[in-house]
PDB file of all heavy atoms in Angstrom:
ATOM      1  N   ASN A  77       5.999 -22.360   3.361  1.00  0.00           N
ATOM      2  CA  ASN A  77       5.340 -21.999   4.616  1.00  0.00           C
ATOM      3  C   ASN A  77       5.839 -20.649   5.140  1.00  0.00           C
ATOM      4  O   ASN A  77       5.920 -20.425   6.343  1.00  0.00           O
ATOM      5  CB  ASN A  77       5.503 -23.092   5.676  1.00  0.00           C
ATOM      6  CG  ASN A  77       4.435 -22.989   6.746  1.00  0.00           C
ATOM      7  OD1 ASN A  77       3.296 -22.618   6.473  1.00  0.00           O
ATOM      8  ND2 ASN A  77       4.800 -23.294   7.971  1.00  0.00           N
ATOM      9  N   ILE A  78       6.171 -19.750   4.222  1.00  0.00           N
ATOM     10  CA  ILE A  78       6.647 -18.421   4.598  1.00  0.00           C
ATOM     11  C   ILE A  78       5.561 -17.392   4.308  1.00  0.00           C
ATOM     12  O   ILE A  78       4.970 -17.395   3.229  1.00  0.00           O
ATOM     13  CB  ILE A  78       7.945 -18.060   3.845  1.00  0.00           C
ATOM     14  CG1 ILE A  78       9.078 -18.987   4.302  1.00  0.00           C
ATOM     15  CG2 ILE A  78       8.309 -16.597   4.073  1.00  0.00           C
ATOM     16  CD1 ILE A  78      10.371 -18.796   3.547  1.00  0.00           C
ATOM     17  N   ALA A  79       5.343 -16.537   5.295  1.00  0.00           N
ATOM     18  CA  ALA A  79       4.392 -15.433   5.139  1.00  0.00           C
ATOM     19  C   ALA A  79       5.148 -14.123   5.309  1.00  0.00           C
ATOM     20  O   ALA A  79       6.000 -13.992   6.185  1.00  0.00           O
ATOM     21  CB  ALA A  79       3.284 -15.530   6.168  1.00  0.00           C
ATOM     22  N   THR A  80       4.826 -13.168   4.453  1.00  0.00           N
ATOM     23  CA  THR A  80       5.425 -11.838   4.533  1.00  0.00           C
ATOM     24  C   THR A  80       4.315 -10.841   4.827  1.00  0.00           C
ATOM     25  O   THR A  80       3.297 -10.831   4.147  1.00  0.00           O
ATOM     26  CB  THR A  80       6.131 -11.477   3.207  1.00  0.00           C
ATOM     27  OG1 THR A  80       7.068 -12.507   2.905  1.00  0.00           O
ATOM     28  CG2 THR A  80       6.844 -10.155   3.325  1.00  0.00           C
ATOM     29  N   GLU A  81       4.549 -10.026   5.827  1.00  0.00           N
ATOM     30  CA  GLU A  81       3.525  -9.111   6.326  1.00  0.00           C
ATOM     31  C   GLU A  81       3.957  -7.664   6.112  1.00  0.00           C
ATOM     32  O   GLU A  81       5.090  -7.312   6.402  1.00  0.00           O
ATOM     33  CB  GLU A  81       3.383  -9.418   7.815  1.00  0.00           C
ATOM     34  CG  GLU A  81       2.469  -8.578   8.607  1.00  0.00           C
ATOM     35  CD  GLU A  81       2.473  -9.014  10.066  1.00  0.00           C
ATOM     36  OE1 GLU A  81       2.150 -10.176  10.376  1.00  0.00           O
ATOM     37  OE2 GLU A  81       2.809  -8.151  10.908  1.00  0.00           O
ATOM     38  N   HIS A  82       3.030  -6.864   5.592  1.00  0.00           N
ATOM     39  CA  HIS A  82       3.250  -5.418   5.471  1.00  0.00           C
ATOM     40  C   HIS A  82       2.038  -4.722   6.087  1.00  0.00           C
ATOM     41  O   HIS A  82       0.903  -5.063   5.747  1.00  0.00           O
ATOM     42  CB  HIS A  82       3.379  -4.986   4.011  1.00  0.00           C
ATOM     43  CG  HIS A  82       4.631  -5.459   3.361  1.00  0.00           C
ATOM     44  ND1 HIS A  82       4.745  -6.682   2.758  1.00  0.00           N
ATOM     45  CD2 HIS A  82       5.831  -4.871   3.242  1.00  0.00           C
ATOM     46  CE1 HIS A  82       5.964  -6.816   2.280  1.00  0.00           C
ATOM     47  NE2 HIS A  82       6.646  -5.738   2.569  1.00  0.00           N
ATOM     48  N   VAL A  83       2.290  -3.767   6.960  1.00  0.00           N
ATOM     49  CA  VAL A  83       1.209  -3.008   7.574  1.00  0.00           C
ATOM     50  C   VAL A  83       1.425  -1.539   7.226  1.00  0.00           C
ATOM     51  O   VAL A  83       2.499  -0.991   7.481  1.00  0.00           O
ATOM     52  CB  VAL A  83       1.168  -3.206   9.103  1.00  0.00           C
ATOM     53  CG1 VAL A  83       0.061  -2.374   9.726  1.00  0.00           C
ATOM     54  CG2 VAL A  83       0.992  -4.681   9.449  1.00  0.00           C
ATOM     55  N   TYR A  84       0.421  -0.942   6.610  1.00  0.00           N
ATOM     56  CA  TYR A  84       0.511   0.449   6.170  1.00  0.00           C
ATOM     57  C   TYR A  84      -0.334   1.336   7.053  1.00  0.00           C
ATOM     58  O   TYR A  84      -1.429   0.967   7.462  1.00  0.00           O
ATOM     59  CB  TYR A  84       0.030   0.569   4.716  1.00  0.00           C
ATOM     60  CG  TYR A  84       0.939  -0.146   3.754  1.00  0.00           C
ATOM     61  CD1 TYR A  84       0.591  -1.389   3.244  1.00  0.00           C
ATOM     62  CD2 TYR A  84       2.153   0.410   3.376  1.00  0.00           C
ATOM     63  CE1 TYR A  84       1.429  -2.058   2.367  1.00  0.00           C
ATOM     64  CE2 TYR A  84       2.998  -0.247   2.501  1.00  0.00           C
ATOM     65  CZ  TYR A  84       2.633  -1.483   1.999  1.00  0.00           C
ATOM     66  OH  TYR A  84       3.469  -2.138   1.149  1.00  0.00           O
ATOM     67  N   ASP A  85       0.165   2.531   7.309  1.00  0.00           N
ATOM     68  CA  ASP A  85      -0.515   3.538   8.111  1.00  0.00           C
ATOM     69  C   ASP A  85      -1.261   4.483   7.168  1.00  0.00           C
ATOM     70  O   ASP A  85      -0.639   5.203   6.394  1.00  0.00           O
ATOM     71  CB  ASP A  85       0.529   4.311   8.935  1.00  0.00           C
ATOM     72  CG  ASP A  85      -0.075   5.429   9.775  1.00  0.00           C
ATOM     73  OD1 ASP A  85      -1.317   5.600   9.778  1.00  0.00           O
ATOM     74  OD2 ASP A  85       0.702   6.138  10.429  1.00  0.00           O
ATOM     75  N   PHE A  86      -2.581   4.436   7.219  1.00  0.00           N
ATOM     76  CA  PHE A  86      -3.398   5.323   6.406  1.00  0.00           C
ATOM     77  C   PHE A  86      -4.130   6.349   7.257  1.00  0.00           C
ATOM     78  O   PHE A  86      -5.159   6.878   6.862  1.00  0.00           O
ATOM     79  CB  PHE A  86      -4.413   4.531   5.582  1.00  0.00           C
ATOM     80  CG  PHE A  86      -3.815   3.639   4.538  1.00  0.00           C
ATOM     81  CD1 PHE A  86      -4.477   2.499   4.132  1.00  0.00           C
ATOM     82  CD2 PHE A  86      -2.591   3.928   3.958  1.00  0.00           C
ATOM     83  CE1 PHE A  86      -3.939   1.678   3.159  1.00  0.00           C
ATOM     84  CE2 PHE A  86      -2.033   3.106   2.992  1.00  0.00           C
ATOM     85  CZ  PHE A  86      -2.714   1.977   2.584  1.00  0.00           C
ATOM     86  N   SER A  87      -3.605   6.624   8.438  1.00  0.00           N
ATOM     87  CA  SER A  87      -4.250   7.591   9.303  1.00  0.00           C
ATOM     88  C   SER A  87      -4.197   8.967   8.641  1.00  0.00           C
ATOM     89  O   SER A  87      -3.310   9.245   7.825  1.00  0.00           O
ATOM     90  CB  SER A  87      -3.533   7.642  10.657  1.00  0.00           C
ATOM     91  OG  SER A  87      -2.210   8.132  10.488  1.00  0.00           O
ATOM     92  N   PRO A  88      -5.135   9.857   8.976  1.00  0.00           N
ATOM     93  CA  PRO A  88      -5.125  11.199   8.389  1.00  0.00           C
ATOM     94  C   PRO A  88      -3.802  11.932   8.609  1.00  0.00           C
ATOM     95  O   PRO A  88      -3.372  12.698   7.746  1.00  0.00           O
ATOM     96  CB  PRO A  88      -6.287  11.906   9.078  1.00  0.00           C
ATOM     97  CG  PRO A  88      -7.227  10.802   9.441  1.00  0.00           C
ATOM     98  CD  PRO A  88      -6.331   9.638   9.800  1.00  0.00           C
ATOM     99  N   ALA A  89      -3.143  11.690   9.729  1.00  0.00           N
ATOM    100  CA  ALA A  89      -1.855  12.355   9.986  1.00  0.00           C
ATOM    101  C   ALA A  89      -0.813  11.942   8.947  1.00  0.00           C
ATOM    102  O   ALA A  89       0.030  12.745   8.558  1.00  0.00           O
ATOM    103  CB  ALA A  89      -1.361  12.009  11.385  1.00  0.00           C
ATOM    104  N   LYS A  90      -0.882  10.717   8.484  1.00  0.00           N
ATOM    105  CA  LYS A  90       0.092  10.209   7.508  1.00  0.00           C
ATOM    106  C   LYS A  90      -0.389  10.420   6.068  1.00  0.00           C
ATOM    107  O   LYS A  90       0.385  10.795   5.198  1.00  0.00           O
ATOM    108  CB  LYS A  90       0.324   8.715   7.776  1.00  0.00           C
ATOM    109  CG  LYS A  90       1.187   8.008   6.796  1.00  0.00           C
ATOM    110  CD  LYS A  90       2.636   8.168   7.157  1.00  0.00           C
ATOM    111  CE  LYS A  90       3.459   7.294   6.245  1.00  0.00           C
ATOM    112  NZ  LYS A  90       4.846   7.341   6.542  1.00  0.00           N
ATOM    113  N   ALA A  91      -1.657  10.126   5.823  1.00  0.00           N
ATOM    114  CA  ALA A  91      -2.167  10.090   4.451  1.00  0.00           C
ATOM    115  C   ALA A  91      -2.955  11.328   4.036  1.00  0.00           C
ATOM    116  O   ALA A  91      -3.336  11.438   2.874  1.00  0.00           O
ATOM    117  CB  ALA A  91      -3.047   8.848   4.272  1.00  0.00           C
ATOM    118  N   GLY A  92      -3.237  12.222   4.975  1.00  0.00           N
ATOM    119  CA  GLY A  92      -4.063  13.371   4.646  1.00  0.00           C
ATOM    120  C   GLY A  92      -5.535  13.030   4.797  1.00  0.00           C
ATOM    121  O   GLY A  92      -5.899  12.023   5.396  1.00  0.00           O
ATOM    122  N   THR A  93      -6.389  13.868   4.210  1.00  0.00           N
ATOM    123  CA  THR A  93      -7.835  13.653   4.299  1.00  0.00           C
ATOM    124  C   THR A  93      -8.461  13.821   2.922  1.00  0.00           C
ATOM    125  O   THR A  93      -7.831  14.336   1.996  1.00  0.00           O
ATOM    126  CB  THR A  93      -8.485  14.661   5.278  1.00  0.00           C
ATOM    127  OG1 THR A  93      -8.200  15.980   4.824  1.00  0.00           O
ATOM    128  CG2 THR A  93      -7.958  14.475   6.697  1.00  0.00           C
ATOM    129  N   GLY A  94      -9.709  13.397   2.814  1.00  0.00           N
ATOM    130  CA  GLY A  94     -10.475  13.574   1.581  1.00  0.00           C
ATOM    131  C   GLY A  94      -9.806  12.929   0.378  1.00  0.00           C
ATOM    132  O   GLY A  94      -9.202  11.867   0.481  1.00  0.00           O
ATOM    133  N   PRO A  95      -9.910  13.587  -0.782  1.00  0.00           N
ATOM    134  CA  PRO A  95      -9.340  13.025  -2.012  1.00  0.00           C
ATOM    135  C   PRO A  95      -7.829  12.768  -1.931  1.00  0.00           C
ATOM    136  O   PRO A  95      -7.326  11.808  -2.503  1.00  0.00           O
ATOM    137  CB  PRO A  95      -9.648  14.089  -3.063  1.00  0.00           C
ATOM    138  CG  PRO A  95     -10.833  14.814  -2.536  1.00  0.00           C
ATOM    139  CD  PRO A  95     -10.668  14.811  -1.042  1.00  0.00           C
ATOM    140  N   GLN A  96      -7.128  13.620  -1.177  1.00  0.00           N
ATOM    141  CA  GLN A  96      -5.683  13.414  -1.011  1.00  0.00           C
ATOM    142  C   GLN A  96      -5.413  12.043  -0.367  1.00  0.00           C
ATOM    143  O   GLN A  96      -4.527  11.310  -0.784  1.00  0.00           O
ATOM    144  CB  GLN A  96      -5.084  14.522  -0.147  1.00  0.00           C
ATOM    145  CG  GLN A  96      -3.611  14.313   0.172  1.00  0.00           C
ATOM    146  CD  GLN A  96      -3.093  15.317   1.191  1.00  0.00           C
ATOM    147  OE1 GLN A  96      -3.773  16.277   1.556  1.00  0.00           O
ATOM    148  NE2 GLN A  96      -1.882  15.091   1.655  1.00  0.00           N
ATOM    149  N   ARG A  97      -6.190  11.717   0.630  1.00  0.00           N
ATOM    150  CA  ARG A  97      -6.029  10.431   1.314  1.00  0.00           C
ATOM    151  C   ARG A  97      -6.348   9.270   0.383  1.00  0.00           C
ATOM    152  O   ARG A  97      -5.632   8.261   0.359  1.00  0.00           O
ATOM    153  CB  ARG A  97      -6.939  10.392   2.534  1.00  0.00           C
ATOM    154  CG  ARG A  97      -6.774   9.137   3.354  1.00  0.00           C
ATOM    155  CD  ARG A  97      -7.650   9.227   4.561  1.00  0.00           C
ATOM    156  NE  ARG A  97      -7.332   8.175   5.500  1.00  0.00           N
ATOM    157  CZ  ARG A  97      -8.131   7.812   6.458  1.00  0.00           C
ATOM    158  NH1 ARG A  97      -9.276   8.426   6.627  1.00  0.00           N
ATOM    159  NH2 ARG A  97      -7.792   6.851   7.278  1.00  0.00           N
ATOM    160  N   LEU A  98      -7.416   9.395  -0.368  1.00  0.00           N
ATOM    161  CA  LEU A  98      -7.776   8.323  -1.299  1.00  0.00           C
ATOM    162  C   LEU A  98      -6.667   8.087  -2.322  1.00  0.00           C
ATOM    163  O   LEU A  98      -6.333   6.946  -2.646  1.00  0.00           O
ATOM    164  CB  LEU A  98      -9.101   8.644  -1.992  1.00  0.00           C
ATOM    165  CG  LEU A  98     -10.320   8.739  -1.070  1.00  0.00           C
ATOM    166  CD1 LEU A  98     -11.544   9.173  -1.860  1.00  0.00           C
ATOM    167  CD2 LEU A  98     -10.562   7.432  -0.348  1.00  0.00           C
ATOM    168  N   GLY A  99      -6.088   9.170  -2.834  1.00  0.00           N
ATOM    169  CA  GLY A  99      -4.983   9.040  -3.783  1.00  0.00           C
ATOM    170  C   GLY A  99      -3.775   8.383  -3.145  1.00  0.00           C
ATOM    171  O   GLY A  99      -3.120   7.526  -3.753  1.00  0.00           O
ATOM    172  N   TYR A 100      -3.483   8.746  -1.913  1.00  0.00           N
ATOM    173  CA  TYR A 100      -2.359   8.161  -1.189  1.00  0.00           C
ATOM    174  C   TYR A 100      -2.557   6.655  -1.018  1.00  0.00           C
ATOM    175  O   TYR A 100      -1.663   5.860  -1.308  1.00  0.00           O
ATOM    176  CB  TYR A 100      -2.215   8.847   0.178  1.00  0.00           C
ATOM    177  CG  TYR A 100      -1.091   8.307   1.021  1.00  0.00           C
ATOM    178  CD1 TYR A 100       0.204   8.788   0.880  1.00  0.00           C
ATOM    179  CD2 TYR A 100      -1.331   7.319   1.976  1.00  0.00           C
ATOM    180  CE1 TYR A 100       1.242   8.303   1.663  1.00  0.00           C
ATOM    181  CE2 TYR A 100      -0.302   6.826   2.760  1.00  0.00           C
ATOM    182  CZ  TYR A 100       0.977   7.314   2.599  1.00  0.00           C
ATOM    183  OH  TYR A 100       1.998   6.817   3.376  1.00  0.00           O
ATOM    184  N   VAL A 101      -3.749   6.259  -0.560  1.00  0.00           N
ATOM    185  CA  VAL A 101      -4.058   4.844  -0.352  1.00  0.00           C
ATOM    186  C   VAL A 101      -3.942   4.081  -1.670  1.00  0.00           C
ATOM    187  O   VAL A 101      -3.319   3.011  -1.741  1.00  0.00           O
ATOM    188  CB  VAL A 101      -5.471   4.677   0.261  1.00  0.00           C
ATOM    189  CG1 VAL A 101      -5.922   3.227   0.238  1.00  0.00           C
ATOM    190  CG2 VAL A 101      -5.498   5.242   1.673  1.00  0.00           C
ATOM    191  N   HIS A 102      -4.521   4.624  -2.715  1.00  0.00           N
ATOM    192  CA  HIS A 102      -4.470   3.961  -4.018  1.00  0.00           C
ATOM    193  C   HIS A 102      -3.030   3.765  -4.480  1.00  0.00           C
ATOM    194  O   HIS A 102      -2.650   2.682  -4.914  1.00  0.00           O
ATOM    195  CB  HIS A 102      -5.253   4.759  -5.064  1.00  0.00           C
ATOM    196  CG  HIS A 102      -5.218   4.129  -6.414  1.00  0.00           C
ATOM    197  ND1 HIS A 102      -4.276   4.487  -7.361  1.00  0.00           N
ATOM    198  CD2 HIS A 102      -5.969   3.152  -6.963  1.00  0.00           C
ATOM    199  CE1 HIS A 102      -4.464   3.759  -8.440  1.00  0.00           C
ATOM    200  NE2 HIS A 102      -5.489   2.940  -8.222  1.00  0.00           N
ATOM    201  N   ASN A 103      -2.226   4.808  -4.396  1.00  0.00           N
ATOM    202  CA  ASN A 103      -0.845   4.721  -4.867  1.00  0.00           C
ATOM    203  C   ASN A 103      -0.032   3.696  -4.077  1.00  0.00           C
ATOM    204  O   ASN A 103       0.709   2.904  -4.662  1.00  0.00           O
ATOM    205  CB  ASN A 103      -0.164   6.092  -4.817  1.00  0.00           C
ATOM    206  CG  ASN A 103      -0.740   7.036  -5.844  1.00  0.00           C
ATOM    207  OD1 ASN A 103      -1.326   6.630  -6.842  1.00  0.00           O
ATOM    208  ND2 ASN A 103      -0.594   8.325  -5.589  1.00  0.00           N
ATOM    209  N   ILE A 104      -0.162   3.706  -2.763  1.00  0.00           N
ATOM    210  CA  ILE A 104       0.580   2.758  -1.916  1.00  0.00           C
ATOM    211  C   ILE A 104       0.156   1.323  -2.231  1.00  0.00           C
ATOM    212  O   ILE A 104       1.005   0.441  -2.430  1.00  0.00           O
ATOM    213  CB  ILE A 104       0.363   3.064  -0.415  1.00  0.00           C
ATOM    214  CG1 ILE A 104       0.969   4.405  -0.050  1.00  0.00           C
ATOM    215  CG2 ILE A 104       0.884   1.929   0.462  1.00  0.00           C
ATOM    216  CD1 ILE A 104       2.482   4.449  -0.053  1.00  0.00           C
ATOM    217  N   LEU A 105      -1.150   1.073  -2.284  1.00  0.00           N
ATOM    218  CA  LEU A 105      -1.618  -0.290  -2.521  1.00  0.00           C
ATOM    219  C   LEU A 105      -1.292  -0.770  -3.934  1.00  0.00           C
ATOM    220  O   LEU A 105      -0.867  -1.904  -4.132  1.00  0.00           O
ATOM    221  CB  LEU A 105      -3.116  -0.403  -2.236  1.00  0.00           C
ATOM    222  CG  LEU A 105      -3.494  -0.263  -0.759  1.00  0.00           C
ATOM    223  CD1 LEU A 105      -5.001  -0.357  -0.599  1.00  0.00           C
ATOM    224  CD2 LEU A 105      -2.787  -1.291   0.100  1.00  0.00           C
ATOM    225  N   ARG A 106      -1.470   0.089  -4.905  1.00  0.00           N
ATOM    226  CA  ARG A 106      -1.149  -0.296  -6.295  1.00  0.00           C
ATOM    227  C   ARG A 106       0.328  -0.662  -6.414  1.00  0.00           C
ATOM    228  O   ARG A 106       0.683  -1.667  -7.032  1.00  0.00           O
ATOM    229  CB  ARG A 106      -1.501   0.859  -7.238  1.00  0.00           C
ATOM    230  CG  ARG A 106      -1.178   0.597  -8.683  1.00  0.00           C
ATOM    231  CD  ARG A 106      -2.339  -0.077  -9.390  1.00  0.00           C
ATOM    232  NE  ARG A 106      -2.162   0.098 -10.812  1.00  0.00           N
ATOM    233  CZ  ARG A 106      -1.849  -0.896 -11.625  1.00  0.00           C
ATOM    234  NH1 ARG A 106      -1.735  -2.111 -11.183  1.00  0.00           N
ATOM    235  NH2 ARG A 106      -1.690  -0.671 -12.903  1.00  0.00           N
ATOM    236  N   GLU A 107       1.180   0.137  -5.801  1.00  0.00           N
ATOM    237  CA  GLU A 107       2.622  -0.154  -5.826  1.00  0.00           C
ATOM    238  C   GLU A 107       2.918  -1.493  -5.149  1.00  0.00           C
ATOM    239  O   GLU A 107       3.699  -2.302  -5.650  1.00  0.00           O
ATOM    240  CB  GLU A 107       3.367   0.977  -5.115  1.00  0.00           C
ATOM    241  CG  GLU A 107       4.864   0.853  -5.162  1.00  0.00           C
ATOM    242  CD  GLU A 107       5.524   2.060  -4.510  1.00  0.00           C
ATOM    243  OE1 GLU A 107       5.320   3.195  -4.986  1.00  0.00           O
ATOM    244  OE2 GLU A 107       6.229   1.838  -3.507  1.00  0.00           O
ATOM    245  N   HIS A 108       2.263  -1.761  -4.016  1.00  0.00           N
ATOM    246  CA  HIS A 108       2.489  -3.024  -3.317  1.00  0.00           C
ATOM    247  C   HIS A 108       1.981  -4.217  -4.131  1.00  0.00           C
ATOM    248  O   HIS A 108       2.651  -5.254  -4.211  1.00  0.00           O
ATOM    249  CB  HIS A 108       1.832  -3.012  -1.932  1.00  0.00           C
ATOM    250  CG  HIS A 108       2.169  -4.221  -1.126  1.00  0.00           C
ATOM    251  ND1 HIS A 108       3.328  -4.314  -0.403  1.00  0.00           N
ATOM    252  CD2 HIS A 108       1.530  -5.396  -0.972  1.00  0.00           C
ATOM    253  CE1 HIS A 108       3.380  -5.497   0.188  1.00  0.00           C
ATOM    254  NE2 HIS A 108       2.290  -6.170  -0.144  1.00  0.00           N
ATOM    255  N   PHE A 109       0.823  -4.071  -4.735  1.00  0.00           N
ATOM    256  CA  PHE A 109       0.278  -5.170  -5.539  1.00  0.00           C
ATOM    257  C   PHE A 109       1.166  -5.462  -6.749  1.00  0.00           C
ATOM    258  O   PHE A 109       1.370  -6.622  -7.125  1.00  0.00           O
ATOM    259  CB  PHE A 109      -1.162  -4.876  -5.971  1.00  0.00           C
ATOM    260  CG  PHE A 109      -2.126  -4.703  -4.814  1.00  0.00           C
ATOM    261  CD1 PHE A 109      -3.279  -3.948  -4.971  1.00  0.00           C
ATOM    262  CD2 PHE A 109      -1.896  -5.276  -3.570  1.00  0.00           C
ATOM    263  CE1 PHE A 109      -4.170  -3.778  -3.924  1.00  0.00           C
ATOM    264  CE2 PHE A 109      -2.778  -5.110  -2.509  1.00  0.00           C
ATOM    265  CZ  PHE A 109      -3.924  -4.359  -2.689  1.00  0.00           C
ATOM    266  N   MET A 110       1.711  -4.429  -7.360  1.00  0.00           N
ATOM    267  CA  MET A 110       2.640  -4.630  -8.482  1.00  0.00           C
ATOM    268  C   MET A 110       3.895  -5.358  -8.003  1.00  0.00           C
ATOM    269  O   MET A 110       4.415  -6.244  -8.687  1.00  0.00           O
ATOM    270  CB  MET A 110       3.017  -3.288  -9.129  1.00  0.00           C
ATOM    271  CG  MET A 110       1.856  -2.587  -9.813  1.00  0.00           C
ATOM    272  SD  MET A 110       1.168  -3.520 -11.196  1.00  0.00           S
ATOM    273  CE  MET A 110       2.503  -3.383 -12.357  1.00  0.00           C
ATOM    274  N   TYR A 111       4.378  -5.015  -6.832  1.00  0.00           N
ATOM    275  CA  TYR A 111       5.523  -5.692  -6.237  1.00  0.00           C
ATOM    276  C   TYR A 111       5.221  -7.180  -6.043  1.00  0.00           C
ATOM    277  O   TYR A 111       6.062  -8.041  -6.336  1.00  0.00           O
ATOM    278  CB  TYR A 111       5.884  -5.017  -4.905  1.00  0.00           C
ATOM    279  CG  TYR A 111       6.768  -5.832  -4.018  1.00  0.00           C
ATOM    280  CD1 TYR A 111       8.143  -5.917  -4.264  1.00  0.00           C
ATOM    281  CD2 TYR A 111       6.250  -6.527  -2.923  1.00  0.00           C
ATOM    282  CE1 TYR A 111       8.958  -6.670  -3.444  1.00  0.00           C
ATOM    283  CE2 TYR A 111       7.060  -7.278  -2.110  1.00  0.00           C
ATOM    284  CZ  TYR A 111       8.414  -7.355  -2.371  1.00  0.00           C
ATOM    285  OH  TYR A 111       9.214  -8.110  -1.567  1.00  0.00           O
ATOM    286  N   LEU A 112       4.028  -7.509  -5.549  1.00  0.00           N
ATOM    287  CA  LEU A 112       3.656  -8.909  -5.334  1.00  0.00           C
ATOM    288  C   LEU A 112       3.682  -9.703  -6.638  1.00  0.00           C
ATOM    289  O   LEU A 112       4.101 -10.857  -6.661  1.00  0.00           O
ATOM    290  CB  LEU A 112       2.270  -9.007  -4.694  1.00  0.00           C
ATOM    291  CG  LEU A 112       2.176  -8.582  -3.239  1.00  0.00           C
ATOM    292  CD1 LEU A 112       0.732  -8.624  -2.770  1.00  0.00           C
ATOM    293  CD2 LEU A 112       3.061  -9.443  -2.355  1.00  0.00           C
ATOM    294  N   ARG A 113       3.238  -9.093  -7.713  1.00  0.00           N
ATOM    295  CA  ARG A 113       3.268  -9.778  -9.016  1.00  0.00           C
ATOM    296  C   ARG A 113       4.686 -10.126  -9.418  1.00  0.00           C
ATOM    297  O   ARG A 113       4.921 -11.126 -10.080  1.00  0.00           O
ATOM    298  CB  ARG A 113       2.617  -8.914 -10.089  1.00  0.00           C
ATOM    299  CG  ARG A 113       1.103  -8.929 -10.000  1.00  0.00           C
ATOM    300  CD  ARG A 113       0.444  -8.184 -11.098  1.00  0.00           C
ATOM    301  NE  ARG A 113       1.034  -8.425 -12.407  1.00  0.00           N
ATOM    302  CZ  ARG A 113       0.655  -7.833 -13.505  1.00  0.00           C
ATOM    303  NH1 ARG A 113      -0.327  -6.957 -13.458  1.00  0.00           N
ATOM    304  NH2 ARG A 113       1.205  -8.080 -14.660  1.00  0.00           N
ATOM    305  N   GLN A 114       5.640  -9.314  -9.041  1.00  0.00           N
ATOM    306  CA  GLN A 114       7.035  -9.577  -9.380  1.00  0.00           C
ATOM    307  C   GLN A 114       7.658 -10.640  -8.479  1.00  0.00           C
ATOM    308  O   GLN A 114       8.619 -11.291  -8.868  1.00  0.00           O
ATOM    309  CB  GLN A 114       7.859  -8.290  -9.285  1.00  0.00           C
ATOM    310  CG  GLN A 114       7.440  -7.250 -10.288  1.00  0.00           C
ATOM    311  CD  GLN A 114       8.075  -5.896 -10.000  1.00  0.00           C
ATOM    312  OE1 GLN A 114       8.831  -5.737  -9.066  1.00  0.00           O
ATOM    313  NE2 GLN A 114       7.733  -4.917 -10.821  1.00  0.00           N
ATOM    314  N   GLU A 115       7.110 -10.819  -7.277  1.00  0.00           N
ATOM    315  CA  GLU A 115       7.672 -11.761  -6.310  1.00  0.00           C
ATOM    316  C   GLU A 115       7.342 -13.218  -6.619  1.00  0.00           C
ATOM    317  O   GLU A 115       8.026 -14.109  -6.150  1.00  0.00           O
ATOM    318  CB  GLU A 115       7.168 -11.432  -4.898  1.00  0.00           C
ATOM    319  CG  GLU A 115       7.797 -10.200  -4.330  1.00  0.00           C
ATOM    320  CD  GLU A 115       9.290 -10.372  -4.129  1.00  0.00           C
ATOM    321  OE1 GLU A 115       9.709 -11.226  -3.341  1.00  0.00           O
ATOM    322  OE2 GLU A 115      10.055  -9.636  -4.795  1.00  0.00           O
ATOM    323  N   GLY A 116       6.290 -13.468  -7.357  1.00  0.00           N
ATOM    324  CA  GLY A 116       5.896 -14.836  -7.653  1.00  0.00           C
ATOM    325  C   GLY A 116       4.575 -14.853  -8.384  1.00  0.00           C
ATOM    326  O   GLY A 116       3.982 -13.823  -8.675  1.00  0.00           O
TER     327      GLY A 116
END
């Protein structure tokens, strides 16, 4: 009954705009999803 929460900031100020932002979002999420696979 344990939940773990992660909230990521993808605002333009943090992630950039256009293709740069898309790459940033992809890299962050892919890394997090790989981490989840290792957790269980």
